[in-house]
Amino acid sequence: MKRKLAIIICLFFLASGLIRIGVSLLMIGQASGWWSFGGEATEALADTRRFIADHPTNLAGFTPLSYFGFIMFMGVTISLGAIGQLWRRHWGLVLIGIYLLSHAALFVNFWTVNPKIFLWGLSVVMAGVLVWANRPTETDERVVA
C-alpha cells in the first residue's frame, strides 16, 4: 500500500512538473516574441508583467522572462525528482527538496503570500509521505544483502 501511495504522489509531481515546463516554454516563447498566441497566453503574460512591474518587492530582480525560466527550472527539478523517487533513488528526494525550496523562495522573493501557499504546503506533506513510503523495508534490505 505504501508503494502504491508513493507511485501516485510521484505521478502527481511528474504531471505538475511537466505542466510547469510546458507552460513556461509557452510563456518564454510568447515573451520573446517567437510566437503569439492570443487569449489566455496573452492575458497571463500581461498579468505577469504587471505583477512584476507593480510589486514593491522583487529581491531577485525577476523579469517576466527570467521568472518563467525559474518556473521551468522548478518544473524540471520536480519532474526529475518524481522520476528518481519512482526508481527509489535518493537523488529524487533531493530534487524534490530543491523544488520545494525554489517554490518557497518565490514567496520570499516577492514578500507575498497567496493561495498557492496551500499547494506548496500540500507538496511538503506529499514529500514527507514519500520519505516514509519509499523507505527500504526489511524485505528490501534482505534482498540486497
Side-chain angles (χ1 to χ4, degrees), residues 1-144:
M1 183 63 186
K2 288 184 347 180
R3 184 65 184 146
K4 288 178 185 176
L5 182 59
I7 290 170
I8 290 169
I9 290 170
C10 288
L11 292 176
F12 176 79
F13 278 157
L14 180 60
S16 68
L18 292 175
I19 290 168
R20 281 184 178 277
I21 293 167
V23 169
S24 63
L25 285 172
L26 174 105
M27 298 309 294
I28 288 169
Q30 184 91 358
S32 299
W34 298 337
W35 47 72
S36 181
F37 293 103
E40 289 186 35
T42 302
E43 190 176 316
L45 182 57
D47 288 345
T48 302
R49 284 182 173 148
R50 189 172 27 260
F51 175 80
I52 290 173
D54 295 345
H55 206 280
T57 307
N58 183 354
L59 301 174
F62 280 121
T63 64
L65 198 57
S66 63
Y67 173 77
F68 290 120
F70 190 76
I71 297 299
M72 184 168 33
F73 166 77
M74 291 170 57
V76 169
T77 58
I78 193 68
S79 295
L80 292 176
I83 291 167
Q85 274 298 277
L86 280 171
W87 295 336
R88 289 185 169 179
R89 300 293 188 255
H90 178 70
W91 55 264
L93 268 180
V94 171
L95 289 172
I96 290 170
I98 291 170
Y99 163 80
L100 292 172
L101 291 173
S102 300
H103 200 156
L106 286 177
F107 294 115
V108 172
N109 179 69
F110 292 111
W111 283 97
T112 187
V113 175
N114 59 38
K116 292 178 184 175
I117 199 158
F118 295 111
L119 293 175
W120 178 80
L122 178 62
S123 297
V124 170
V125 169
M126 289 190 305
V129 171
L130 282 179
V131 170
W132 166 76
N134 276 340
R135 206 172 328 156
T137 63
E138 289 180 22
T139 309
D140 294 336
E141 291 172 3
R142 277 185 269 149
V143 170
V144 172

